[in-house]
Amino acid sequence: MRLPCPFCGPRDSAEFAYLGDAAIARPDAAAPDAPRLFYEATYLRDNPAGPHREHWYHAAGCRQWLVVTRDTTSHEILAAAFARQP
Ligand SMILES: [Zn+2]
């Protein structure tokens, strides 16, 4: 699988580190039920079939975090962008 890094161009996925779901919102640590919220955000995740937004880190390239939209059934890359825009 090749990932289209916006800075480096198309590169083999071996150059990247996979972090996972890019849609997860970090729970509020000050909330009274914070332990339950962190447990759910960490361990109770969906395993979607189809387009999925994921975080990838270009460790052997520009060292930038990317948000990649990948179809989990075909590995087709639908979009890739820097996770943090300047
Ligand atoms: Zn890169």
Side-chain angles (χ1 to χ4, degrees):
M1 181 171 73
R2 294 176 69 81
L3 298 177
C5 176
F7 186 77
C8 306
R11 298 298 173 103
D12 191 273
S13 62
E15 293 187 8
F16 296 81
Y18 174 76
L19 181 66
D21 194 341
I24 295 174
R26 184 177 175 84
D28 180 5
D33 56 347
R36 181 186 60 79
L37 296 174
F38 274 93
Y39 171 81
E40 291 176 0
T42 303
Y43 297 109
L44 303 181
R45 297 189 177 183
D46 294 332
N47 186 19
H52 190 232
R53 294 178 71 236
E54 305 167 328
H55 277 129
W56 288 81
Y57 177 63
H58 199 180
C62 61
R63 298 185 178 184
Q64 295 295 309
W65 285 94
L66 307 179
V67 174
V68 175
T69 305
R70 178 177 65 94
D71 189 317
T72 58
T73 60
S74 65
H75 295 303
E76 179 184 5
I77 305 300
L78 305 170
F82 292 120
R84 177 180 294 181
Q85 296 297 327

